[in-house]
Amino acid sequence: MAFRSQSLRDRQVAAIEKILNLNHDPTKDGDAVFDGAATNGAVAKSTPILDANGDPIWKVLVFDNLGRDIISSVLRVSDLRTWGVTIHLNINSGRHPIPDVPVIYLVEPNGRNLELITQDLSRNLYSPAYINFLHSIPRPLLEDFASQTATASTAENIAQLYDQYLNFIVAEPDLFNLGLGKGAYRALNSAQTKDEELDELIDRIVIGLFSVAVTMGAIPIIRCPKGGAAEVIATKLDRKLRDHLLDSKDNLFAGAGSGSRQQGSVGAPQSRPVMIIVDRNIDLVPMLSHSWTYQSLVHDVLDMKLNRITMEVPVDEGNPAKGVGRKAYDLTSNDFFWAKNAGVPFPQVAEDIDTELTRYKEDASELTRKTGASSIEDLQNDTASSAHHLRAAITLLPELRERKAVLDMHMNIATALLKGVKDRQLDNFFQLEESVTKQNKNQILDLVRDGSKGNDPLDKLRLFVIWFLSTEQELTRAEWEECDEALQRLGVDTTPLAYVRRVREITRMTMLAAAPTQPAQQSTGGDLLRGFSAISNRLTDRLKDGALGANFENLISGVKNFLPANKDLTVTKITESLMDPASASSSAIAKTENYLYFDPRSANARGIMVSTGSQARGMASGGAMGTMPGGLGGGGGGGGGVTGSGTQATFGQRRQAFSEAIVFTVGGGSMDEYGNLQEWAKRTSGGGSGGSGGGGGAGGAGGAASVIGSVGGAVTGPARRRVVYGSTELMNASEFISEGLAPLGKESR
């Protein structure tokens, strides 16, 4: 049996498919075989539930906005069809009756959704109803729904009612966000946020993290700094997990500490992970920095949401005067090129496109040679020529067509990125930020004034803020005003600077210097040109004969083939110090030495309940670093906090190692941080089996990791590390500035 470690996306997909299968487990056998090569890295497909006549049960799927975002990030319409869903609708839209057809609801448990479900059933829009809430429905709402159902006499139309634990959006195999909107950072740090709003936001974060733990099938050890939102969330999450473990009737973590209702018996057993919860203010630089990796550039330069990239393309490439239109591309789990190249430097993407195009052309030539056709297109249309080699064609042709579509898509994406890089001179900004601490204030001011540095003034604001947060140099009031005025002359809204200036002292105490683990590589000028120009000579007539092919070398000229230095960001260093303290730097160990320790399974490492926003603010104000300019206060590595809120870790707990971690940033996440964490996990992993370890006690072992103690998560020796990264919302730099820093800057003035 071939087991592989399931990613968070694998687990969420499996849970959603079970819902689409009317909560019948698609895998009837107790043991499922997972082979990444055979399934393109996705959960193996199973047959949907059948009716009495042996036919698939066709269904209607109704979701709210969060349910839509969750499903659309991991499944396509064709996947829904596979599981018998003929139509999918938003619960807030006008819908017509489809009598005697089962309906699956996937919605948040709130008063509005419960009203709409009751209205649907009373109007006999569908029947029967399979109701699935994205997280556990509170008792008062459940009683209210029962009352509505009794009044409307719709009880016989309800076939199932389930609490699911899926209220998080998965964008990459181990990347999630809670879909709480781009205003969470502002709400958490604003003095104008009402206590009730703050408490509601924190409760939603706790519920989302609880759902992630359930889906992953393990009760985590929780670590967080003292003070700020991170401590409040960790305390509440610890209490929620403890309360759940006391409920023996429906323990979602029953069985060895790693099995769950979502997971069932699928996959190899896992050790307990460590959940690291940190406030966004520990390091603002990754939210603003210019990156040079493929996925970070896509997120920064192009319009990307829920794994859909929307960009402008010429209506007629041969005639630019016809203008441009918008085209959307979906990144799916079986996109082999994205899976391989998402985290690599952009110049290397060109080389891999060239390699993949060469391989495609060779495979296509081999297939056409065997069938006697002159091209793949002829083979598709000429059944007579392919009849002699039908077996080979029927096996290879669909795969070749899929590869061609994927490569065409990534060529278009790479071309759009390349244009954005050149127009905004992002390679120059990236290279400057690689050595930003070496720049003095006069050099930065000259760069701000230089009108030839790119066509987007916001890039200069980002560079200035990164320098200001990173440097040890101080600016006089006159120098600060001079920089402010220079940015305003470029048309930049400088209101974020007022807040950045106030928050600087806290971020300087929590940021860790990112020294390169390897020196940066400056390749020869022709390497990047060679890689990209090769694209224009491959595969499609559009690239060979169209304007794009003719102008490709003009686009690439002047763009530097600069490969980034391997340096760990602050969040990565914190993660290393908590996952692998034996290898972490002394500065990182010192920053996390006083992190609180919560173990929901332990009677000792116990947290307290924080119930209101005012109490949360009180907890934050006890930190030694003082409070933030507003809101919950700073998330620091030292300080007071409320007595009894978690425990101080013992020496053994501080030196405990883990093979798996969930890293969560409160207030917004960065694609840069996700990529940096994945690169670190890959770079430092040994030869063990991913996610291996004991199920919660001594004696279990997996791969190179050996489990010690009662926590089940400590490992010795090199293990294959896995890091899941999450946040309240994933944002690019412009969104973080406009939705987070700018509103707080207005308050700070």
Side-chain angles (χ1 to χ4, degrees):
M1 183 172 298
F3 283 115
R4 68 174 183 84
S5 176
Q6 281 185 289
S7 68
L8 183 62
R9 179 168 62 189
D10 291 337
R11 293 170 181 271
Q12 190 183 61
V13 168
I16 292 173
E17 289 179 345
K18 184 175 179 179
I19 292 171
L20 299 180
N21 209 37
L22 305 183
N23 286 299
H24 290 266
D25 195 342
T27 56
K28 296 296 183 183
D29 53 86
D31 298 310
V33 176
F34 283 91
D35 187 337
T39 62
N40 287 322
V43 176
K45 299 295 181 184
S46 302
T47 305
I49 190 172
L50 307 177
D51 62 17
N53 298 322
D55 298 322
I57 298 177
W58 302 107
K59 326 167 195 69
V60 175
L61 174 63
V62 177
F63 41 61
D64 59 5
N65 291 339
L66 181 59
R68 174 202 62 204
D69 293 348
I70 290 167
I71 291 179
S72 62
S73 293
V74 294
L75 296 179
R76 295 173 295 181
V77 173
S78 59
D79 298 318
L80 298 179
R81 296 282 187 273
T82 300
W83 292 97
V85 175
T86 57
I87 186 171
H88 53 278
L89 302 164
N90 194 299
I91 195 170
N92 297 301
S93 64
R95 288 167 285 123
H96 300 288
I98 310 177
D100 302 321
V101 173
V103 59
I104 298 173
Y105 288 97
L106 186 62
V107 296
E108 287 191 275
N110 57 48
R112 174 61 177 164
N113 286 340
L114 296 179
E115 269 183 44
L116 291 173
I117 292 173
T118 303
Q119 290 175 17
D120 289 353
L121 299 182
S122 61
R123 292 166 53 202
N124 292 314
L125 290 189
Y126 327 100
S127 182
Y130 298 81
I131 302 172
N132 298 272
F133 296 121
L134 288 170
H135 58 84
S136 179
I137 181 172
R139 183 66 180 233
L141 276 178
L142 183 60
E143 292 175 353
D144 186 47
F145 184 51
S147 176
Q148 292 180 36
T149 301
T151 302
S153 301
T154 56
E156 68 274 8
N157 294 331
I158 300 177
Q160 292 177 353
L161 192 149
Y162 273 90
D163 286 337
Q164 306 290 349
Y165 296 89
L166 297 171
N167 55 318
F168 56 93
I169 300 166
V170 179
E172 293 285 326
D174 288 312
L175 171 67
F176 73 93
N177 72 84
L178 301 184
L180 297 182
K182 296 175 173 59
Y185 179 78
R186 180 202 60 78
L188 289 165
N189 292 279
S190 171
Q192 299 178 5
T193 305
K194 296 179 180 178
D195 287 347
E196 296 78 12
E197 296 173 358
L198 194 59
D199 203 44
E200 180 184 358
L201 176 59
I202 288 174
D203 285 342
R204 292 188 67 188
I205 294 172
V206 170
I207 291 170
L209 291 177
F210 180 84
S211 295
V212 170
V214 171
T215 303
M216 292 187 67
I219 300 173
I221 306 294
I222 305 171
R223 303 296 306 273
C224 73
K226 290 183 178 181
E231 182 179 356
V232 182
I233 292 165
T235 302
K236 283 195 167 189
L237 179 60
D238 173 70
R239 175 57 59 192
K240 187 174 181 65
L241 287 165
R242 287 176 184 277
D243 290 345
H244 178 77
L245 291 175
L246 294 175
D247 182 6
S248 59
K249 294 181 295 183
D250 187 23
N251 186 352
L252 300 171
F253 301 96
S258 62
S260 75
R261 183 166 64 89
Q262 300 288 355
Q263 178 187 359
S265 58
V266 176
Q270 293 190 329
S271 61
R272 290 179 66 188
V274 58
M275 179 179 286
I276 305 166
I277 304 175
V278 294
D279 293 300
R280 179 65 274 165
N281 285 323
I282 63 164
D283 187 10
L284 294 182
V285 169
M287 300 299 296
L288 303 168
S289 61
H290 297 86
S291 182
W292 203 226
T293 61
Y294 191 29
Q295 65 183 358
S296 293
L297 277 172
V298 168
H299 202 243
D300 187 10
V301 177
L302 304 180
D303 180 10
M304 180 177 177
K305 180 176 176 59
L306 301 174
N307 283 349
R308 167 164 288 192
I309 300 171
T310 306
M311 60 189 196
E312 293 183 348
V313 295
V315 174
D316 184 350
E317 293 173 355
N319 186 4
K322 292 186 177 181
V324 296
R326 293 183 71 81
K327 187 173 180 63
Y329 297 104
D330 290 316
L331 299 173
T332 62
S333 59
N334 58 358
D335 185 333
F336 70 95
F337 190 86
W338 181 258
K340 180 180 178 182
N341 290 282
V344 306
F346 188 44
Q348 295 180 10
V349 175
E351 299 176 9
D352 203 55
I353 287 180
D354 188 26
T355 301
E356 292 294 338
L357 290 177
T358 301
R359 189 164 69 90
Y360 166 83
K361 185 174 182 181
E362 291 172 352
D363 292 346
S365 298
E366 179 67 13
L367 182 60
T368 55
R369 183 184 62 79
K370 288 181 178 179
T371 57
S374 58
S375 69
I376 288 290
E377 288 71 21
D378 291 341
L379 182 59
Q380 293 171 197
N381 300 324
D382 186 0
T383 55
S385 65
S386 61
H388 300 294
H389 299 277
L390 185 59
R391 180 180 301 175
I394 206 169
T395 302
L396 296 176
L397 189 56
E399 190 267 342
L400 285 174
R401 293 177 64 185
E402 179 71 17
R403 281 168 56 190
K404 179 181 184 294
V406 168
L407 293 174
D408 275 343
M409 176 182 75
H410 283 286
M411 282 191 295
N412 291 332
I413 293 172
T415 304
L417 282 181
L418 194 59
K419 187 176 186 305
V421 167
K422 184 171 183 181
D423 290 346
R424 293 167 55 183
Q425 296 188 21
L426 296 183
D427 51 332
N428 288 327
F429 283 104
F430 169 73
Q431 195 167 2
L432 284 168
E433 290 168 14
E434 286 281 280
S435 57
V436 71
T437 55
K438 298 179 181 178
Q439 309 293 325
N440 60 45
K441 46 192 172 187
N442 292 327
Q443 290 173 313
I444 291 295
L445 186 57
D446 289 342
L447 288 168
V448 169
R449 291 171 176 160
D450 190 349
S452 65
K453 294 292 184 184
N455 63 358
D456 188 349
L458 192 64
D459 291 318
K460 293 184 178 179
L461 175 65
R462 290 163 62 180
L463 174 65
F464 173 73
V465 172
I466 290 169
W467 173 81
F468 182 66
L469 292 175
S470 305
T471 186
E472 296 292 331
Q473 303 175 52
E474 299 293 340
L475 291 177
T476 65
R477 182 172 182 176
E479 290 169 338
W480 177 266
E481 291 176 351
E482 189 177 3
C483 289
D484 192 310
E485 291 171 2
L487 288 167
Q488 288 188 44
R489 283 194 295 270
L490 296 172
V492 177
D493 179 10
T494 60
T495 53
L497 294 181
Y499 177 76
V500 169
R501 194 173 187 180
R502 296 184 66 186
V503 82
R504 182 193 189 202
E505 292 307 313
I506 292 173
T507 61
R508 287 176 66 179
M509 294 182 69
T510 55
M511 283 175 59
L512 293 164
T517 57
Q518 294 180 13
Q521 302 173 40
Q522 180 76 48
S523 301
T524 58
D527 288 348
L528 183 62
L529 176 62
R530 184 181 67 250
F532 275 115
S533 62
I535 302 174
S536 62
N537 300 320
R538 305 281 182 173
L539 193 60
T540 61
D541 291 337
R542 182 180 64 80
L543 286 177
K544 291 178 182 176
D545 304 327
L548 175 61
N551 294 329
F552 215 89
E553 293 194 7
N554 291 332
L555 282 173
I556 200 66
S557 62
V559 177
K560 297 177 182 177
N561 185 16
F562 186 82
L563 301 183
N566 287 331
K567 62 179 182 180
D568 294 333
L569 301 176
T570 296
V571 167
T572 304
K573 287 181 175 292
I574 289 172
T575 302
E576 181 181 38
S577 70
L578 296 174
M579 282 188 76
D580 185 18
S583 303
S585 66
S586 57
S587 59
I589 292 289
K591 292 290 186 183
T592 59
E593 195 79 4
N594 292 320
Y595 270 40
L596 296 176
Y597 184 97
F598 298 82
D599 183 359
R601 284 187 177 274
S602 168
N604 297 321
R606 179 184 299 274
I608 63 169
M609 177 57 72
V610 180
S611 57
T612 66
S614 59
Q615 286 174 303
R617 294 181 200 274
M619 178 180 288
S621 64
M625 294 192 317
T627 58
M628 290 294 297
L632 277 172
V642 175
T643 303
S645 174
T647 64
Q648 291 287 349
T650 65
F651 179 81
Q653 290 167 341
R654 291 197 302 268
R655 297 299 178 264
Q656 178 181 331
F658 296 87
S659 62
E660 188 170 8
I662 305 164
V663 180
F664 186 80
T665 56
V666 182
S670 158
M671 192 66 82
D672 251 12
E673 282 180 335
Y674 170 69
N676 195 250
L677 282 166
Q678 299 308 309
E679 192 277 331
W680 170 81
K682 181 179 178 181
R683 186 177 76 240
T684 61
S685 287
S689 175
S692 60
S706 61
V707 180
I708 61 173
S710 60
V711 295
V715 297
T716 57
R720 179 167 296 172
R721 294 191 178 89
R722 176 172 163 229
V723 179
V724 177
Y725 177 76
S727 62
T728 48
E729 186 74 38
L730 196 66
M731 294 186 281
N732 61 26
S734 61
E735 292 169 339
F736 185 67
I737 290 172
S738 62
E739 302 292 336
L741 298 182
L744 291 169
K746 291 178 181 177
E747 294 180 23
S748 301
R749 284 188 165 180

